[in-house]
Amino acid sequence: MDPLIKLFLCLYVFVFTSLLFAEINGVEGSDKNHRLYGFRPTKLFVFGDSYADTGNIKKSLSSSWKFPYGITFPGKPAGRFSDGRVATDFLAKFVGIKSPIPYFWKNYAGKKRLQYGMNFAYGGTGVFNTQVPLPNMTTQIDFFQNILTAGDIYTPSNLISSVALVSVAGNDYSTFIAQNRPAAEFPAFIKQVVDQTEVNLRRIHALGVKKIAIPTLQPLGCLPGITVASSFQRCNESQNALVRLHNSLLQQAVAKLNNETKEQSIFIILDLYNAFLNVFNNKGANPGSTTFQSPLKPCCVGVSSEYSCGSVDEKGVKKYVICDDPKSAFFWDESHPTEEGWRSVYSVLHESLTASFMKA
């Protein structure tokens, strides 16, 4: 099978899934973290896709509302595309606040709950339009701007101590492949994605957000939907080479933005690519990071290629199997980490995050 088709099959999961909110509350932060910072973060605003979404899509559109999703947290299906907490929750914990309310649920939350920020990310979306009719990142930022303009929840003065997470996890590239565009056009399209990301970062900063965290693209060639071809033993290096091009251009864009603002700590790169690889290769040398015996093998899989995690047949009989202990697995399904996987990634990122957030 053509490597790009394999990549599409894996990324396809991203396009039709999201992480939805898990009973509103995420990982609660701790005030002790605030002593680390040159400023005191009080709000987190999130933009992006299924690696960041905690509740912005209807149940009818997301398999993440089906068992066994959510079995670790909150103990039942609640939307996040994992067995438990996800990236947004762990960044909120690091910042020292509760996980921000999903935009979809803002009218159901009291003012006290809204004080921690808001999550505008929609699973399946990208920088540009994807195969799902959901708000791309430009529209997500529109939602944010409209709320600021209305002034009844947040005002620009509230953003002095705010942080943003901007996630771009690969849906633009799965859409590129689904459109059967020539592989030779891929590098140029990668540049278009990064250029638009730069535009988005400028806009979020112009709206008043103090610090903006931008994860690099994770090693797509290591996702279980790809590594199944090698019985979950090897990553696809040709696909990771494209990811490295994306990340190199992204790092250049962020360096340019920081140079233009004359402040080196406004835009912060979260090196998700190398954090994933460090966890995969961890043999006990990284304190706080779990040693996964088979890091490329997912915990929850369909019983055959026509099924996936959470699938049932027309009689309601489950068509998936799960591992004995989700904490033993880095990946939950074909594309998304387990809660323990995300915990380990943010353990690796902790030192660089601390260094970045100590700067006012």
Side-chain angles (χ1 to χ4, degrees):
M1 184 182 293
D2 186 277
L4 287 177
I5 298 301
K6 291 180 181 177
L7 179 59
F8 166 64
L9 291 175
C10 181
L11 292 182
Y12 188 80
V13 177
F14 274 97
V15 178
F16 290 100
T17 59
S18 71
L19 298 178
L20 299 183
F21 95 122
E23 292 195 338
I24 302 300
N25 292 315
V27 181
E28 291 205 15
S30 171
D31 284 343
K32 68 180 180 180
N33 290 337
H34 294 144
R35 295 197 296 269
L36 297 173
Y37 308 116
F39 78 110
R40 181 186 174 95
T42 61
K43 292 176 176 59
L44 173 62
F45 296 99
V46 183
F47 307 88
D49 43 46
S50 67
Y51 267 24
D53 183 6
T54 55
N56 284 314
I57 198 172
K58 295 178 180 179
K59 293 182 180 181
S60 61
L61 298 178
S62 177
S63 60
S64 57
W65 284 97
K66 300 177 181 178
F67 191 85
Y69 289 87
I71 59 173
T72 298
F73 172 83
K76 61 182 180 180
R80 283 170 170 81
F81 214 82
S82 180
D83 65 306
R85 298 172 177 90
V86 296
T88 296
D89 303 308
F90 285 102
L91 182 59
K93 180 181 180 181
F94 176 85
V95 170
I97 61 175
K98 291 183 178 181
S99 199
I101 196 79
Y103 172 76
F104 179 82
W105 299 98
K106 67 183 185 302
N107 295 330
Y108 302 91
K111 265 197 169 181
K112 185 176 181 180
R113 191 65 187 85
L114 293 168
Q115 69 179 326
Y116 302 109
M118 193 170 292
N119 188 343
F120 299 90
Y122 280 78
T125 66
V127 171
F128 301 117
N129 289 335
T130 60
Q131 293 174 287
V132 295
L134 294 171
N136 64 22
M137 194 172 291
T138 296
T139 304
Q140 293 172 25
I141 300 171
D142 288 343
F143 293 159
F144 180 43
Q145 183 170 355
N146 291 341
I147 286 177
L148 293 178
T149 300
D152 55 343
I153 301 178
Y154 312 112
T155 63
S157 63
N158 297 147
L159 304 186
I160 295 173
S161 58
S162 65
V163 180
L165 172 64
V166 179
S167 173
V168 180
N171 292 324
D172 293 289
Y173 301 134
S174 62
T175 299
F176 176 96
I177 296 168
Q179 293 170 343
N180 293 316
R181 295 174 61 178
E185 295 179 4
F186 222 132
F189 181 66
I190 291 173
K191 186 176 187 306
Q192 291 175 22
V193 169
V194 173
D195 287 348
Q196 183 58 44
T197 300
E198 180 182 336
V199 170
N200 295 337
L201 296 175
R202 290 180 186 276
R203 187 177 169 200
I204 294 168
H205 181 237
L207 288 172
V209 177
K210 175 69 173 177
K211 287 184 183 287
I212 304 173
I214 313 100
T216 59
L217 191 60
Q218 73 277 16
L220 298 177
C222 298
L223 299 183
I226 298 297
T227 62
V228 65
S230 64
S231 298
F232 308 113
Q233 297 300 308
R234 295 184 304 279
C235 298
N236 186 305
E237 287 307 314
S238 64
Q239 292 167 11
N240 282 346
L242 292 171
V243 173
R244 288 192 290 272
L245 173 59
H246 169 103
N247 290 339
S248 176
L249 294 174
L250 180 65
Q251 289 167 331
Q252 292 173 36
V254 168
K256 181 173 69 172
L257 288 169
N258 279 325
N259 185 59
E260 290 176 2
T261 59
K262 307 301 181 184
E263 296 183 56
Q264 294 303 306
S265 59
I266 294 292
F267 301 92
I268 304 164
I269 284 284
L270 302 183
D271 192 356
L272 212 60
Y273 182 90
N274 283 307
F276 270 51
L277 295 182
N278 285 344
V279 174
F280 295 161
N281 296 323
N282 179 35
K283 305 303 180 185
N286 299 324
S289 177
T290 299
T291 300
F292 298 100
Q293 297 303 318
S294 300
L296 304 182
K297 185 177 180 179
C299 177
C300 184
V301 295
V303 296
S304 65
S305 59
E306 61 184 302
Y307 298 108
S308 60
C309 182
S311 292
V312 295
D313 64 17
E314 62 278 1
K315 296 181 180 179
V317 177
K318 70 175 187 179
K319 292 295 181 180
Y320 61 88
V321 293
I322 58 174
C323 60
D324 292 334
D325 180 13
K327 287 187 176 181
S328 68
F330 178 85
F331 282 109
W332 171 243
D333 58 17
E334 290 186 339
S335 302
H336 305 88
T338 58
E339 175 175 304
E340 191 64 26
W342 279 121
R343 189 189 310 279
S344 295
V345 165
Y346 271 81
S347 175
V348 172
L349 293 173
H350 190 273
E351 184 176 349
S352 62
L353 275 170
T354 301
S356 297
F357 276 74
M358 285 179 67
K359 303 174 183 177

